[in-house]
Amino acid sequence: MEEKYLKLKEQLDLLEWPNVYMFKFIVPSDNQLIARVTNMFSQVSEISMRPSAKGNYTSITIKEVMTDSDSVIKIYQDTEKIKGVIVI
């Protein structure tokens, strides 16, 4: 596991699980890319999107009930594989 994820895991392990976790991503305003990110989450997750001022990017915030820290990290690792997606 990468060092950045080891630090995140340490922080997440301090929380009680399951827990609602808020993910934030910046995605180029491309419907296919947005769909790839949002499809990684369940139908009951709370998803909000906001386009950037020029409309080139879309900010996506997703609140999802996660079972443990490893499942949170897996989502981050999977989204990193999508070209152009910025994890914040």
Side-chain angles (χ1 to χ4, degrees):
M1 187 180 296
E2 294 178 49
E3 186 177 332
K4 64 181 174 184
Y5 291 124
L6 291 174
K7 288 183 177 186
L8 177 60
K9 182 166 175 48
E10 284 178 17
Q11 294 172 336
L12 292 174
D13 284 341
L14 298 174
L15 302 174
E16 288 187 31
W17 298 97
N19 202 336
V20 175
Y21 188 81
M22 184 169 59
F23 295 89
K24 289 189 170 213
F25 307 100
I26 297 175
V27 182
S29 293
D30 174 294
N31 289 338
Q32 287 183 334
L33 290 176
I34 292 169
R36 284 183 65 190
V37 171
T38 57
N39 286 339
M40 294 172 46
F41 296 89
S42 70
Q43 296 295 323
V44 296
S45 60
E46 182 182 321
I47 300 174
S48 60
M49 292 185 248
R50 193 174 72 213
S52 64
K54 293 184 180 180
N56 296 332
Y57 293 92
T58 299
S59 169
I60 304 173
T61 302
I62 303 170
K63 291 181 183 177
E64 172 88 41
V65 175
M66 304 303 291
T67 56
D68 56 31
S69 60
D70 291 330
S71 59
V72 171
I73 291 170
K74 171 116 175 68
I75 294 282
Y76 282 130
Q77 289 172 329
D78 290 346
T79 52
E80 261 188 357
K81 295 173 187 172
I82 302 172
K83 185 177 172 86
V85 174
I86 300 168
V87 176
I88 50 176

